[in-house]
Amino acid sequence: MSFNFKNLKTDLPSGLVVFLVALPLCLGISLASGAPFFSGLISGIIGGVVIGSLSSSKLSVSGPAAGLAALVFASIANIGAFDLFLCAVLIAGILQILMSLARLGGIANYFPSSVIKGMLTSIGILIIAKQIPHAAGYDTEVKGELSEMFSLGDEPWHQFLRPLHHIDLGALFICILSIIIMIVWDKPFIKKRVKFIPGALVAVIVAILINEIFKAASPALTLSGNHLVQIKAANSASEFFSFFTLPDFNGFLNSKVIISGIMIAIIASLETLLSIEAVDNLDPERRVTNTNRELLAQGIGNTVAGLVGGLPITSVIVRSSANLHAGAKSKASTIFHGFLLLLSVIALPTLINLIPRAALAAILLLTGYKLCKLSVFAQVIKTGKYQYIPFFVTVLTIICIDLFGLIPAVKGEGLLIGVVAGIIAAFGAILHGNLKNSYFFHKDKHHDGDSIKIKLSEEVSFLNKAAIRQTLDNIPANSAITIDASATDYIDFDVLELIKEFRDIKAPLKNINCKLEGFKEQYRIENELNVQSLH
């Protein structure tokens, strides 16, 4: 690993910005996961230092992810002990290493985006449901599944509102104020002036100050004990290392642990690969990350996390985009943010322990809302039945199992079952469409400078995405290519996005002239030669 020291003048400030974003998120995701706060900080450190050093991505930042919080919460409750759950994290890391060695870095291409969106939307709903008690100040540790808090089974319907029966006015005030601060802070007129100070950090600082004011002016509203973050302070190096939790290796003989490990490996890998693709598209230098090496780095990171008491880790788009927008040039910023997290755990536990859980709940409520807001549903519906059928099947399956507990025999496994149900629904919808129209993809042998024509058939589904991507990636430089959709009745949303990415990003880099013909207006893709030669 080598650094360009000329970049440190931008990478070190960028690392500081990412640290300020990551610290409240690590604590919040620990809260949402039903895990010790220290475990989220451990994963943030590993994501920055270990994965940051091993990854080929220059801008991606890894750490505990909100997208895994609901799965982790359900898994810990289902398994029954955190040290046993660490074996699941360890299994996930080993599986990711094996996936890397098997060169499965392109596995995300085989999952329809509608199912992935459905999974993330469900996770958003579950996060919101889990944070309602903390927002209301009901911070007593809840044993069992989410479904036990929100069950509509044998209890009266009003039990759905059970957390609201225990409202703490101080916590509720801090939560609402924190949400207002983050929403206002995200407005352009403020964001442009203080773009490197994250709203979540401002909300946490204000929450601490408000609670200190409560102590002096209104003790009845003061938050203490379980209402605050609780991490241990070490007086020596040996005491610090004693805070780490080792896995109970008996978990390798537990079927629940093994299933959880497989689920974490699949979902963490998908989240990472999708995040990496998004970061590469945002990178102004258009650098391309080796996805197989990224899976290896993530696998090693999760293996280490499982061995020392951390939460599952993925590449996180929120931290990565903050890193990019702060001006980072290399992975030095990611590694620096990891060391800053380590320093904060060692030197600032007293300050961290002043943070109200209600402020972290506010961060997570907004995070959950962004995953499941109404515009997500509207966007999916507009893309057609091949998108919204698997999307809604995925969402309803996960919510029915993990939130309402309607199928007790499989509670805690809603994410896995929901994703499988969504994929089956997607296959069913596509197969139904293909009863009338078969798919073909025509290509000839070609060389540099040739004119190439790709004619799409009547039905082009997500099943064809990987083959089309491979063909477009192998188009030689300095060629002219025409993609003809004049005979096509349906093109999957994923394939359209793939074609747009090739036309607008990849083709110019290889000096390829790309022309699109016959695409319907509803696809919102221009039928013109819009890629110019690079000189």
Side-chain angles (χ1 to χ4, degrees):
M1 179 182 64
S2 61
F3 294 124
N4 184 343
F5 288 96
K6 293 181 180 179
N7 291 332
L8 290 181
K9 64 181 180 181
T10 56
D11 286 338
L12 294 185
S14 298
L16 176 61
V17 171
V18 178
F19 160 72
L20 296 176
V21 172
L23 179 60
L25 285 177
C26 288
L27 295 170
I29 291 164
S30 300
L31 178 65
S33 302
F37 287 108
F38 193 63
S39 64
L41 293 170
I42 290 173
S43 292
I45 295 166
I46 294 171
V49 178
V50 177
I51 297 179
S53 301
L54 297 174
S55 170
S56 67
S57 175
K58 306 300 182 184
L59 299 175
S60 172
V61 182
S62 296
L68 284 173
L71 172 59
V72 172
F73 179 81
S75 296
I76 293 174
N78 201 25
I79 292 169
F82 185 68
D83 56 353
L84 283 173
F85 167 76
L86 292 176
C87 285
V89 181
L90 191 55
I91 289 170
I94 294 171
L95 288 176
Q96 286 183 306
I97 294 173
L98 294 176
M99 289 166 67
S100 169
L101 297 177
R103 306 188 66 80
L104 294 178
I107 191 173
N109 292 325
Y110 295 92
F111 284 79
S113 66
S114 56
V115 175
I116 295 173
K117 286 179 182 176
M119 178 189 73
L120 294 175
T121 299
S122 305
I123 287 170
I125 296 171
L126 293 174
I127 288 175
I128 291 173
K130 177 66 173 69
Q131 294 315 303
I132 289 175
H134 299 297
Y138 185 52
D139 291 311
T140 302
E141 295 301 322
V142 179
K143 303 296 182 182
E145 301 288 343
L146 272 173
S147 57
E148 292 178 11
M149 273 201 300
F150 295 95
S151 175
L152 296 181
D154 298 329
E155 299 190 20
W157 67 270
H158 63 267
Q159 291 297 326
F160 184 81
L161 303 176
R162 186 188 309 170
L164 301 183
H165 297 168
H166 305 275
I167 292 178
D168 183 297
L169 293 179
L172 185 61
F173 177 80
I174 286 176
C175 181
I176 294 174
L177 180 62
S178 299
I179 291 173
I180 292 172
I181 289 172
M182 287 184 285
I183 291 174
V184 172
W185 204 263
D186 207 35
K187 297 297 181 182
F189 67 90
I190 291 183
K191 199 170 185 179
K192 289 179 181 178
R193 291 174 174 81
V194 286
K195 60 181 180 179
F196 296 140
I197 302 177
L201 179 67
V202 176
V204 165
I205 293 173
V206 171
I208 293 174
L209 294 176
I210 292 293
N211 197 43
E212 292 302 307
I213 293 172
F214 284 162
K215 286 182 182 179
S218 182
L221 295 176
T222 302
L223 301 180
S224 61
N226 284 342
H227 295 299
L228 301 178
V229 169
Q230 295 177 341
I231 62 172
K232 298 176 182 178
N235 296 317
S236 64
S238 59
E239 185 179 4
F240 174 73
F241 286 112
S242 71
F243 297 161
F244 292 82
T245 303
L246 300 179
D248 180 350
F249 291 104
N250 289 323
F252 285 104
L253 304 176
N254 188 320
S255 61
K256 293 180 179 179
V257 171
I258 295 171
I259 292 173
S260 294
I262 294 171
M263 291 166 62
I264 291 169
I266 294 172
I267 295 174
S269 298
L270 289 176
E271 281 202 43
T272 290
L273 295 171
L274 292 171
S275 175
I276 287 293
E277 183 177 0
V279 172
D280 284 351
N281 287 336
L282 292 172
D283 184 0
E285 298 183 31
R286 298 301 182 195
R287 291 168 290 193
V288 179
T289 301
N290 183 324
T291 53
N292 291 310
R293 180 172 170 182
E294 184 63 30
L295 281 181
L296 178 63
Q298 296 288 333
I300 293 174
N302 276 314
T303 301
V304 174
L307 289 171
V308 298
L311 294 176
I313 303 169
T314 75
S315 172
V316 186
I317 188 62
V318 173
R319 286 166 232 185
S320 301
S321 59
N323 190 36
L324 186 150
H325 293 311
K329 301 294 183 183
S330 75
K331 61 172 68 178
S333 62
T334 300
I335 298 170
F336 182 55
H337 115 275
F339 280 113
L340 287 177
L341 284 173
L342 176 60
L343 182 63
S344 71
V345 172
I346 296 173
L348 302 175
T350 303
L351 179 59
I352 292 173
N353 285 340
L354 295 176
I355 300 174
R357 289 190 178 196
L360 301 180
I363 295 171
L364 292 164
L365 286 171
L366 275 185
T367 300
Y369 169 74
K370 290 175 182 177
L371 289 173
C372 65
K373 55 187 176 181
L374 292 177
S375 60
V376 174
F377 290 84
Q379 181 185 16
V380 171
I381 291 172
K382 286 180 181 178
T383 56
K385 64 181 180 181
Y386 290 96
Q387 290 289 314
Y388 70 70
I389 290 177
F391 172 84
F392 281 109
V393 168
T394 304
V395 171
L396 291 174
T397 302
I398 294 173
I399 296 306
C400 286
I401 293 175
D402 278 351
L403 184 58
F404 296 122
L406 297 184
I407 311 177
V410 292
K411 68 178 183 178
E413 299 175 8
L415 282 172
L416 177 62
I417 296 172
V419 168
V420 171
I423 292 174
I424 292 172
F427 270 100
I430 294 302
L431 290 174
H432 180 267
N434 285 345
L435 290 176
K436 297 181 179 179
N437 303 294
S438 61
Y439 166 77
F440 69 93
F441 182 78
H442 179 69
K443 65 177 182 178
D444 294 321
K445 292 182 180 179
H446 41 257
H447 308 282
D448 284 15
D450 285 356
S451 294
I452 304 160
K453 186 165 186 177
I454 297 176
K455 190 174 179 64
L456 303 180
S457 66
E458 292 177 86
E459 295 271 349
V460 184
S461 73
F462 73 88
L463 297 173
N464 309 117
K465 178 181 175 182
I468 293 175
R469 179 188 289 275
Q470 182 179 9
T471 300
L472 293 177
D473 286 346
N474 289 329
I475 298 294
N478 307 311
S479 301
I481 178 173
T482 300
I483 302 177
D484 184 4
S486 56
T488 303
D489 291 329
Y490 168 78
I491 303 177
D492 187 84
F493 176 78
D494 290 359
V495 177
L496 285 172
E497 290 297 302
L498 176 65
I499 292 171
K500 289 178 187 177
E501 178 190 12
F502 176 79
R503 180 193 65 182
D504 298 336
I505 298 175
K506 294 184 177 180
L509 294 176
K510 296 173 68 175
N511 196 29
I512 296 173
N513 287 327
C514 180
K515 183 178 180 181
L516 307 183
E517 291 182 351
F519 285 81
K520 298 176 181 178
E521 290 185 8
Q522 68 193 58
Y523 295 144
R524 298 179 182 177
I525 186 168
E526 295 144 359
N527 293 296
E528 60 180 358
L529 182 65
N530 67 340
V531 175
Q532 303 298 325
S533 298
L534 298 176
H535 297 288

